[in-house]
Amino acid sequence: MFSSHKKMTATGEPEAREDPSVGGAPATITTPTTIIAPSPIPVPSDVPMPNSNGSGNGAGNHRSTIVIESQTKRRVSIISDPPMIGGNGGIGTGYDNPAYEQNPRRKISQTSTHSHTDIGPARRKSILKDTAPHDNESDRVSTHSYENYRQNALDVLNAKYNGHQMGHAGGGSSNGGANYVEESWMYTFCLKCRGEEPSASWEPPFWQKIFPYPLCPTFRTVSRLISIILIGVLIWVTAFVIIGDSAAPGGQLFGLVVLTVAANFGGYLMSLTTLPRLIGMLLVGILFQNVGWADIDGDFSKVTAHLRKFALTIILTRAGLEMEPEAFKKVYKTILKLGIIPWCVEAVVMAVMSHFLLDLPWMWSFLLGSIIAAVSPAVVVPCLFRLRTKGYGVAKGIPTLVVAVAGVDDALSVAIFGIISTVMFSDKGLAYQIAQAPVCILGGLGFGVVWGSLARIFPEKGDAYVVPLRTLLLFTGGLMAIYGSEELGFEGAGPLAVVFSAFVSNLFWCKDGWDVEDNPVSTAFEIFWMIFEPILFGLTGATIKIRELDSHTVSIGAACIFTGAILRIFTTAGIAFGDRLNTKEKFFVGLSWMAKATVQAALGPVALKHLGEDATEEERNWANIVQTICVFSIVLTAPLGAILISVTGTKLLTKTKQPQDLSGWRRSHRPSIRDISIIDEEEEREDPEIPEDKETHDNTLNNAHIPTISYTYNT
């Protein structure tokens, strides 16, 4: 049974409601409801009905009828959120029962004509970001939109320019220069350099008069830059007091800081061309080394070696966090097939060619092959994101497949490299060398399961500090795996442990309610990568001394790199049977995996660092060849891979009718691995077949006997 409560007037009569009809026309109000009692509801005849002017007089000149319709009913869930009133929730918007719709992003029923995409995909806010509203009057006064920027500042500039032109013309009119500033190339260039801000920017009232947008940066950008500079200066002063001359201008630590800042700026300039930022960082490192501004040799090489291990830990952790466990279980056979077989082909081709053409021993050749065969998500993901936003390849989940395989590829490369390097630089017996592969694989996977399980239990999921604690726990566990496996003599186990611990912890966190697309721990590791990316690629570029390069090594190395990449492309196209990909899509997937960057930058100089003081000159020459080819693989394949993905993607992939709107769940303005999630994209085909929702179907059957009550009021 249920009870209804009516608001009464002072005279004891029920309060009249305002008639929604216009001009006194009859109004028909149909309200589908779910009723527990099967008996009809009587409508008292003395209930006052509203007239055309919206007032109730209690007269009996209104006629009410009850129409019972046997239609399919739906069960409306009761949500504690306040109702959405106004905006898109008004009458006539096409929503079922809009006045009582609690969540506008919820699809009401299986056959509803609207969905959450009408408003935008729902997305949880990261708890790393302060989303509290700032109800400060001073903040509201000077908050400007981009339209206000143009109205306030650009109009003034246009007026000044037009007045200047009229003065030169002797008072004549100049209608052609009304929008001179906005039509100039400088305006277009500056607008391209400005990124979209996630929210309105506060700024002083005089800011737009002095620094008009977009010809000048916003106050938010300038204040952020000033904050970073102040933090850097304070850290440098503290380091100078503690360390001494090494942190002073001219010291090695000071040179590393300058190299990192310059590499970050070089990456920003390169990003304006839509090429990967890491290319600019690498070129800045090469420039600093060859003009004498970088000094990373001597005792300081130990510091750079530790920085590379930190960067490697971040790379592998992000590779594990980007894999969605549920989707991985569905297509793991395809991911493993396309990740392992093409990798083996490219590694073997690189090893054989370098052995016969560069005179490297077999162990050194396979060491080089294990590094070169790795794929760089840092290059692939931004390009795939741009294609995905335009609707290319999303129907078959091609961006998802490419990113998932890249993560497996990196883990395999680092693990095999660790096993080979341990065998090469170890003086232990044959049994120890034979045990390398099984111990590294089983030990890495076992540590990953244990540490990933601990990351679920500790800290407790309701802890107020769960995000920073989980981040630090995962990061310190990865560092322990990398350093511990190296100390124990099983270097290949560490990388596998890092990737698998991140994957297992992400599996448990998703079961606890976290979303892969908005994982705050992954956001934290993205921040770590923003810090270590210019350090890693700046240092890698600084290892190249152009005057000492051998033209024969460079040319033969380039031939080996491109031969391995081409054979990998054809291998991928040949084995991708049964994966619902046509011939064009198979070749595109193969092209996407030719770009090299992160693993090559992290592991290229490692072999040279492993050599002791008693190493022969020939061994040092082999290590230099490995390092040089790794760096040139980045220079040659990273920009070429980015260009090929962008150009061939529109030619080889099928475009869906409606491009994907990713602005709602994209976490930052910078392209990153987290921009593409591993999801089931079958519903994004051109002609999607929406599967029947079981819960909606059951609710429809359970409510089929309940009538719909329609009230018709005529004046």
Side-chain angles (χ1 to χ4, degrees):
M1 296 298 293
F2 68 99
S3 60
S4 60
H5 302 274
K6 299 179 180 180
K7 187 176 180 180
M8 309 299 291
T9 62
T11 60
E13 294 293 329
E15 185 182 35
R17 295 183 301 169
E18 185 174 344
D19 192 346
S21 61
V22 180
T28 301
I29 304 177
T30 302
T31 307
T33 57
T34 301
I35 306 173
I36 299 177
S39 59
I41 303 175
V43 180
S45 59
D46 58 345
V47 175
M49 294 295 136
N51 54 21
S52 60
N53 60 8
S55 62
N57 52 14
N61 58 349
H62 293 83
R63 177 172 55 88
S64 64
T65 61
I66 301 177
V67 180
I68 307 298
E69 299 176 356
S70 297
Q71 297 179 350
T72 303
K73 306 303 182 297
R74 63 180 177 87
R75 176 171 294 177
V76 180
S77 61
I78 300 176
I79 306 176
S80 59
D81 296 339
M84 303 295 294
I85 302 176
N88 291 335
I91 303 297
T93 59
Y95 283 78
D96 304 1
N97 200 6
Y100 296 92
E101 180 54 40
Q102 309 289 345
N103 187 356
R105 291 177 172 82
R106 178 175 65 88
K107 188 171 182 179
I108 294 178
S109 66
Q110 190 68 24
T111 58
S112 297
T113 59
H114 70 282
S115 66
H116 68 279
T117 56
D118 295 337
I119 297 177
R123 169 179 171 270
R124 292 187 302 105
K125 297 295 184 182
S126 173
I127 55 180
L128 289 181
K129 180 179 178 181
D130 181 16
T131 57
H134 300 280
D135 192 16
N136 197 341
E137 183 65 28
S138 62
D139 289 350
R140 293 197 299 267
V141 171
S142 299
T143 300
H144 300 280
S145 63
Y146 293 145
E147 289 74 11
N148 289 335
Y149 288 153
R150 298 188 181 95
Q151 293 175 1
N152 295 340
L154 296 178
D155 290 347
V156 175
L157 293 178
N158 285 323
K160 290 183 178 179
Y161 174 79
N162 292 333
H164 179 73
Q165 292 294 100
M166 293 174 63
H168 281 285
S173 61
S174 177
N175 297 328
N179 296 322
Y180 170 77
V181 176
E182 295 187 21
E183 295 174 358
S184 64
W185 67 269
M186 181 63 71
Y187 178 88
T188 304
F189 177 78
C190 294
L191 189 63
K192 183 177 179 60
C193 297
R194 306 289 174 242
E196 295 183 2
E197 297 290 349
S199 60
S201 172
W202 179 91
E203 58 187 21
F206 62 84
W207 186 264
Q208 282 302 311
K209 298 178 181 179
I210 304 177
F211 308 104
Y213 179 91
L215 302 180
C216 300
T218 61
F219 178 76
R220 173 178 294 171
T221 303
V222 175
S223 62
R224 182 190 303 131
L225 182 61
I226 294 176
S227 301
I228 294 174
I229 293 175
L230 289 176
I231 293 172
V233 170
L234 294 176
I235 293 177
W236 173 74
V237 171
T238 306
F240 177 73
V241 173
I242 297 174
I243 299 175
D245 294 338
S246 180
Q252 289 183 309
L253 181 59
F254 185 83
L256 175 62
V257 174
V258 174
L259 174 62
T260 303
V261 174
N264 201 4
F265 181 71
Y268 166 73
L269 295 179
M270 186 60 64
S271 66
L272 298 179
T273 66
T274 69
L275 290 176
R277 295 169 54 92
L278 58 91
I279 301 298
M281 299 175 184
L282 192 69
L283 294 178
V284 168
I286 296 176
L287 175 64
F288 269 55
Q289 177 60 257
N290 290 275
V291 298
W293 294 346
D295 181 16
I296 57 175
D297 298 327
D299 294 337
F300 198 71
S301 60
K302 298 180 180 179
V303 177
T304 60
H306 291 300
L307 291 175
R308 292 181 191 278
K309 292 179 181 178
F310 275 60
L312 182 63
T313 303
I314 296 172
I315 293 170
L316 296 176
T317 303
R318 295 185 69 195
L321 289 175
E322 73 186 12
M323 300 180 188
E324 184 176 347
E326 294 298 326
F328 189 86
K329 288 190 296 185
K330 294 179 181 178
V331 293
Y332 74 95
K333 292 182 180 179
T334 299
I335 293 176
L336 295 179
K337 177 181 67 176
L338 296 180
I340 296 177
I341 297 178
W343 182 93
C344 293
V345 171
E346 186 174 6
V348 171
V349 170
M350 189 69 198
V352 173
M353 293 187 67
S354 62
H355 172 73
F356 289 104
L357 299 180
L358 295 174
D359 297 328
L360 290 178
W362 281 113
M363 292 299 293
W364 284 90
S365 298
F366 279 100
L367 182 75
L368 177 61
S370 65
I371 303 175
I372 297 298
V375 178
S376 174
V379 177
V380 172
V381 171
C383 302
L384 289 176
F385 178 82
R386 287 192 291 270
L387 290 175
R388 182 182 174 118
T389 55
K390 298 177 182 178
Y392 288 101
V394 296
K396 296 182 180 179
I398 292 177
T400 292
L401 176 65
V402 173
V403 176
V405 171
V408 175
D409 219 60
D410 287 355
L412 183 61
S413 290
V414 180
I416 298 300
F417 172 85
I419 294 173
I420 295 176
S421 62
T422 302
V423 173
M424 286 176 57
F425 302 109
S426 175
D427 55 355
K428 297 184 180 180
L430 180 62
Y432 170 80
Q433 297 179 357
I434 295 176
Q436 276 291 317
V439 171
C440 288
I441 294 174
L442 296 178
L445 296 180
F447 180 87
V449 172
V450 173
W451 199 255
S453 302
L454 288 176
R456 178 193 186 182
I457 303 173
F458 308 105
E460 193 269 331
K461 63 181 180 180
D463 196 321
Y465 302 98
V466 63
V467 174
L469 290 177
R470 283 181 173 178
T471 301
L472 294 177
L473 189 67
L474 203 58
F475 185 49
T476 53
L479 290 176
M480 184 182 68
I482 294 292
Y483 282 97
S485 61
E486 182 179 348
E487 187 68 22
L488 295 175
F490 295 94
E491 192 173 347
L496 281 179
V498 175
V499 175
F500 210 67
S501 61
F503 176 78
V504 172
S505 61
N506 193 34
L507 170 65
F508 290 130
W509 295 341
C510 289
K511 291 182 178 180
D512 290 340
W514 276 17
D515 189 1
V516 177
E517 295 176 354
D518 194 15
N519 187 338
V521 174
S522 183
T523 304
F525 275 94
E526 184 177 338
I527 297 173
F528 291 164
W529 179 240
M530 290 171 58
I531 299 172
F532 278 89
E533 183 183 19
I535 296 176
L536 176 62
F537 288 101
L539 288 175
T540 303
T543 60
I544 297 298
K545 300 177 181 179
I546 297 179
R547 60 183 177 275
E548 298 180 3
L549 290 178
D550 184 7
S551 59
H552 174 74
T553 301
V554 174
S555 58
I556 297 299
C560 296
I561 292 170
F562 285 117
T563 302
I566 292 173
L567 291 179
R568 177 172 185 153
I569 293 172
F570 283 98
T571 302
T572 302
I575 67 171
F577 51 85
D579 298 326
R580 300 184 299 108
L581 302 177
N582 58 38
T583 304
K584 292 182 179 180
E585 292 166 344
K586 292 176 182 178
F587 277 100
F588 174 80
V589 170
L591 285 171
S592 302
W593 292 329
M594 70 171 298
K596 322 293 180 186
T598 48
V599 173
Q600 290 76 17
L603 299 183
V606 171
L608 187 61
K609 305 301 180 184
H610 275 306
L611 296 177
E613 297 180 356
D614 56 345
T616 63
E617 189 65 28
E618 190 176 26
E619 290 177 336
R620 295 188 179 278
N621 181 49
W622 295 335
N624 283 321
I625 290 175
V626 171
Q627 176 178 278
T628 301
I629 293 178
C630 287
V631 174
F632 271 90
S633 69
I634 303 174
V635 176
L636 296 176
T637 62
L640 181 61
I643 294 172
L644 287 178
I645 293 173
S646 302
V647 173
T648 61
T650 58
K651 305 294 189 301
L652 301 180
L653 298 181
T654 303
K655 184 177 182 180
T656 55
K657 292 182 179 180
Q658 294 182 352
Q660 298 297 300
D661 182 13
L662 305 178
S663 58
W665 55 270
R666 191 181 178 194
R667 289 198 315 271
S668 67
H669 66 279
R670 291 191 60 189
S672 69
I673 292 178
R674 302 292 305 140
D675 285 333
I676 295 182
S677 62
I678 301 176
I679 59 176
D680 184 9
E681 298 174 352
E682 183 66 23
E683 69 276 7
E684 296 177 321
R685 299 174 301 177
E686 292 191 4
D687 300 314
E689 298 177 2
I690 303 177
E692 185 178 11
D693 185 79
K694 185 178 184 302
E695 183 178 356
T696 303
H697 178 70
D698 294 342
N699 291 339
T700 301
L701 295 179
N702 293 336
N703 298 334
H705 65 283
I706 301 177
T708 296
I709 301 179
S710 301
Y711 299 94
T712 303
Y713 305 109
N714 296 324
T715 304

